[in-house]
Amino acid sequence: MINITIDGRKLEVAEGSTILEAARENGIEIPTLCYHEALEPFAACRLCVVELEGPRGSRLVASCVYPCEEGAVVHTNSEMVQHSRRTTVELLMTFASHVPLVQELAAQLGAREPRVRLESNDCILCGLCVRACQEIVGVSAISLINRGIEKKVKPPFEIASSVCIGCGTCVFVCPTGAITLEDIGRPRLAHEWHSEFQARPCRVCGDHYLVPESVSDYQELLAEEEPS
Ligand code: SF4
């Protein structure tokens, strides 16, 4: 265990834990967008920045990746931190001010209307879907492509992915609801990534939700369900 101070509270935290983990374990809230505890931290959204005191003055660090160090003094809600988070949200508002999550953050942080407006987009480029597809599902059907304002999440060549299994994990982790997997005339489901799947019905409610490609022993399951 090591000793650190967060917002004036002296805490004993597990060695190797990040500042974000230590704070949350002790009931100190730090906002995040691109963080998910099931995934490796990515430090992309910069919303989780905190102020770290040092011998040459304070600096901002991304708490989701920055490890706790013995004697560290951290401020999670100082003026420096709030200014940085407001700027982050104001940048998001240039294209996603209609997204409820962004509106909520803007209200909390007192973010002002941005001077520049870009084409509206529900995707805030947090990369959670890409990492979930890679780290949890293990297929890497999508990735972040292009740079700058052209950056977006897409399958390779922007055509239907041949490796997507329609599991919906990307839909589930997306914090803004930007990704869809929807009915296009039952029992067909169409994915945001141009793929189409024939869904099977739930044996309890009858609703079509099971995408065979997402079940490894699907043939066995089918044989059990429909004995010939
Ligand atoms: S639905 Fe396709 S793109 Fe989304 S996580 Fe599953 S495999 Fe990846």
Side-chain angles (χ1 to χ4, degrees), residues 2-6 8-13 17-19 22-23 26 67-74:
I2 57 173
N3 301 294
I4 67 165
T5 304
I6 304 182
R9 285 174 59 190
K10 295 196 180 306
L11 305 169
E12 228 183 32
V13 302
S17 56
T18 62
I19 293 175
N26 287 281
C68 292
E69 291 165 346
E70 180 63 38
V73 178
V74 175

Side-chain angles (χ1 to χ4, degrees), residues 3-227:
N3 301 294
I4 67 165
T5 304
I6 304 182
D7 294 345
R9 285 174 59 190
K10 295 196 180 306
L11 305 169
E12 228 183 32
V13 302
E15 203 167 348
S17 56
T18 62
I19 293 175
L20 179 66
E21 287 167 341
R24 287 193 172 173
E25 239 163 60
N26 287 281
I28 299 168
E29 193 43 48
I30 296 176
T32 57
L33 278 176
C34 73
Y35 178 81
H36 193 291
E37 55 193 23
L39 301 169
E40 285 296 313
F42 194 46
C45 73
R46 311 305 291 180
L47 202 65
C48 73
V49 289
V50 293
E51 180 181 345
L52 180 67
E53 284 187 18
R56 293 186 194 150
S58 292
R59 64 194 167 108
L60 292 172
V61 297
S63 64
C64 68
V65 288
Y66 203 91
C68 292
E69 291 165 346
E70 180 63 38
V73 178
V74 175
H75 305 281
T76 68
N77 207 19
S78 63
E79 185 47 46
M80 191 188 208
V81 169
Q82 285 186 26
H83 180 265
S84 171
R85 287 185 191 152
R86 260 198 306 276
T87 306
T88 299
V89 173
E90 282 165 5
L91 287 171
L92 287 175
M93 289 168 75
T94 58
F95 61 92
S97 60
H98 62 288
V99 171
L101 180 62
V102 175
Q103 290 170 348
E104 209 176 289
L105 286 166
Q108 276 170 21
L109 295 162
R112 285 170 304 197
E113 281 295 308
R115 289 186 193 171
V116 184
R117 287 269 172 209
L118 301 174
E119 194 182 333
S120 291
N121 197 338
D122 288 353
C123 175
I124 55 170
L125 300 172
C126 64
L128 275 173
C129 54
V130 174
R131 289 181 290 135
C133 186
Q134 184 179 359
E135 294 177 32
I136 298 175
V137 188
V139 300
S140 299
I142 48 178
S143 58
L144 279 162
I145 61 167
N146 302 341
R147 287 170 185 262
I149 60 170
E150 297 296 323
K151 198 168 182 180
K152 52 191 169 184
V153 178
K154 288 286 169 194
F157 307 111
E158 300 194 40
I159 56 173
S161 167
S162 59
V163 293
C164 175
I165 57 171
C167 63
T169 306
C170 52
V171 181
F172 179 74
V173 296
C174 176
T176 65
I179 308 171
T180 54
L181 182 64
E182 57 189 350
D183 286 336
I184 51 161
R186 296 200 169 183
R188 282 162 64 227
L189 296 176
H191 201 290
E192 174 83 16
W193 319 122
H194 318 301
S195 314
E196 282 186 26
F197 302 94
Q198 293 287 330
R200 295 279 304 165
C202 163
R203 71 175 70 168
V204 178
C205 69
D207 221 347
H208 290 77
Y209 78 100
L210 178 67
V211 177
E213 287 85 344
S214 66
V215 184
S216 57
D217 54 356
Y218 180 70
Q219 290 310 326
E220 287 90 333
L221 190 73
L222 206 56
E224 264 175 41
E225 201 178 76
E226 298 168 353

